[in-house]
Amino acid sequence: MSDTERQIARAAGSGPIATFRIPYFLPYWLSNLLQFFCGQVQGLTMQWLVTELTTSRTVLGLVGFVQGSVISVASPLAGVAVDRLPKRHLLVVGRLSFAAIVLLIAYLVQTDLIAIWHIIVLSVVGGLITALMQPASQTYVFDIVGRDRVQNAIALNATATGAAQMMGPALAGGLIATVGIVGTFLSSAVGVLIATGMLAMIPVIGRSPSYNRSSPLRELRDGFAYVAAHPPVLLTLVVCSMAIFNGALFSMRPIFARHVLEVGSVGYGMMAGASGVGTVIGALVAITVPRVRVPGVMITLGMLGFSTCIFLYAFAFSFEYVLAVELAAGIFGQLWNVATFSGLQMAVSEEMRGRILSMVFMVVQLASVGQLFVGMLADAIGDQWALGLFGLIPMLVLGAILVFGYRTLREL
């Protein structure tokens, strides 16, 4: 047993927080914390920029649709790459590429050259990068901490996400109001570069175990064949595909802040921040509970809870009410996140981890389709009616899956 394996073994019996004692997990967690903060600032600033360039809900949804569609289409092949290439290298290159995109957008805004088509083109590039980074990031956690600690590690990593979602939006709203969109983009780009340097110093490369490799296309087909041969995995992916409706919250949030509640950029940041508080709470709950024994059921319940929150969000009769719903949505979303990315990694064979998680991201990015159509529907029938329908439909579908597919979900 190596020194690293002995330290992991010692940490495994010392409680969830002791996961930080596993070599290199704490530096990775801190790197992710900074990266997540910058990502939140970038995402919210981008949305606010789009609402300044156009009042069309359809165009706002189109931006998310383009990037999400690229991620969805590219994810299966990205999973093959993650199973073949060093994950740390993929993450470093991806983060540097994101910093370059943000700096380019800042330049276009500063020179008054920015247009919607610029954002759409850069969304395509960003989607390709994200398709590689998402499964690489989740499986790299597994490579650092091992199978026995992966649930705690993902939950702890999720607290960093939650902290960023909790404080990042408020930071973004405050920065936009004080230093403007350009200054906000520049600040986040610097943060990404620092986070990249921290990651590059971690000596764990993150290679998948060696096995008899074939061509990338053959490995892609093998991944889909694996899903088809395992009904619990297939049904779990169907559950995750309900994100096609649940993604409506992301694109409609700035619309509700600007036009329904009329609370401005600071209120917009508070709304997203309340969701971030919920994600921290959800992550802390996931840390304190034993390993999830029925991840398929928990994944479905998490997605159902989030859908219910979207339905309730549509009523939006006060700012305080929306903040409470955002909080609940963050909790359910985080419980889904931990159950999905820890449960599936433990349920599937090790050489398939990258491909299976890439398929999760593939179906989850169907949210981008929902973002486009909820925008079109909002332009046609109103913001609150559109969001309400996008919460009600997945509630009914997921309820039926729990009733008729419960036994299959328990087998995951």
Side-chain angles (χ1 to χ4, degrees), residues 122-146:
L122 292 174
S123 294
V124 172
V125 179
L128 292 171
I129 299 167
T130 302
L132 273 175
M133 289 182 64
Q134 287 179 329
S137 178
Q138 294 292 345
T139 54
Y140 190 55
V141 174
F142 188 104
D143 294 329
I144 291 177
V145 305

Side-chain angles (χ1 to χ4, degrees), residues 34-48:
L34 181 55
Q35 176 73 21
F36 295 151
F37 260 96
C38 296
Q40 284 292 311
V41 171
Q42 292 167 11
L44 270 76
T45 306
M46 183 71 74
Q47 280 197 317
W48 200 254

Side-chain angles (χ1 to χ4, degrees), residues 27-276:
Y28 183 55
W29 186 87
L30 292 172
S31 170
N32 281 342
L33 177 64
L34 181 55
Q35 176 73 21
F36 295 151
F37 260 96
C38 296
Q40 284 292 311
V41 171
Q42 292 167 11
L44 270 76
T45 306
M46 183 71 74
Q47 280 197 317
W48 200 254
L49 173 62
V50 173
T51 63
E52 287 194 351
L53 296 174
T54 178
T55 60
S56 171
R57 279 73 162 163
T58 302
V59 172
L60 180 61
L62 178 63
V63 174
F65 169 76
V66 169
Q67 184 170 54
S69 298
V70 171
I71 297 172
S72 186
V73 171
S75 284
L77 277 174
V80 173
V82 169
D83 282 335
R84 296 170 69 98
L85 301 173
K87 301 177 185 69
R88 189 194 65 183
H89 297 352
L90 292 174
L91 291 171
V92 168
V93 172
R95 290 183 179 185
L96 291 174
S97 301
F98 269 129
I101 290 174
V102 172
L103 290 172
L104 177 57
I105 294 174
Y107 168 77
L108 292 172
V109 174
Q110 178 64 32
T111 56
D112 291 326
L113 296 174
I114 191 69
I116 290 293
W117 74 267
H118 291 130
I119 296 175
I120 292 175
V121 170
L122 292 174
S123 294
V124 172
V125 179
L128 292 171
I129 299 167
T130 302
L132 273 175
M133 289 182 64
Q134 287 179 329
S137 178
Q138 294 292 345
T139 54
Y140 190 55
V141 174
F142 188 104
D143 294 329
I144 291 177
V145 305
R147 178 178 294 272
D148 291 339
R149 300 298 286 177
V150 68
Q151 179 176 317
N152 283 336
I154 288 178
L156 288 168
N157 211 35
T159 63
T161 309
Q165 290 177 339
M166 177 174 59
M167 294 178 282
L171 176 61
L175 285 172
I176 292 171
T178 54
V179 301
I181 289 176
V182 173
T184 304
F185 277 136
L186 291 176
S187 299
S188 66
V190 171
V192 170
L193 293 175
I194 295 173
T196 304
M198 295 168 64
L199 173 62
M201 294 176 66
I202 298 174
V204 177
I205 300 297
R207 291 185 184 275
S208 295
S210 298
Y211 61 96
N212 295 327
R213 297 192 185 278
S214 54
S215 69
L217 289 179
R218 174 61 184 272
E219 292 186 10
L220 178 63
R221 290 195 298 269
D222 289 346
F224 283 107
Y226 183 94
V227 172
H230 295 79
V233 178
L234 177 59
L235 187 57
T236 300
L237 289 176
V238 172
V239 168
C240 294
S241 73
M242 288 300 100
I244 191 172
F245 298 100
N246 294 355
L249 178 58
F250 182 75
S251 63
M252 292 301 291
R253 181 184 285 137
I255 298 299
F256 271 62
R258 187 185 285 271
H259 301 290
V260 177
L261 298 169
E262 299 180 345
V263 293
S265 64
V266 174
Y268 173 45
M270 292 177 64
M271 290 160 63
S275 178

Side-chain angles (χ1 to χ4, degrees), residues 293-316:
R293 302 297 180 185
V294 284
V297 176
M298 294 304 299
I299 290 167
T300 307
L301 289 173
M303 186 67 80
L304 177 60
F306 192 85
S307 300
T308 303
C309 289
I310 291 179
F311 177 73
L312 296 174
Y313 200 108
F315 293 94

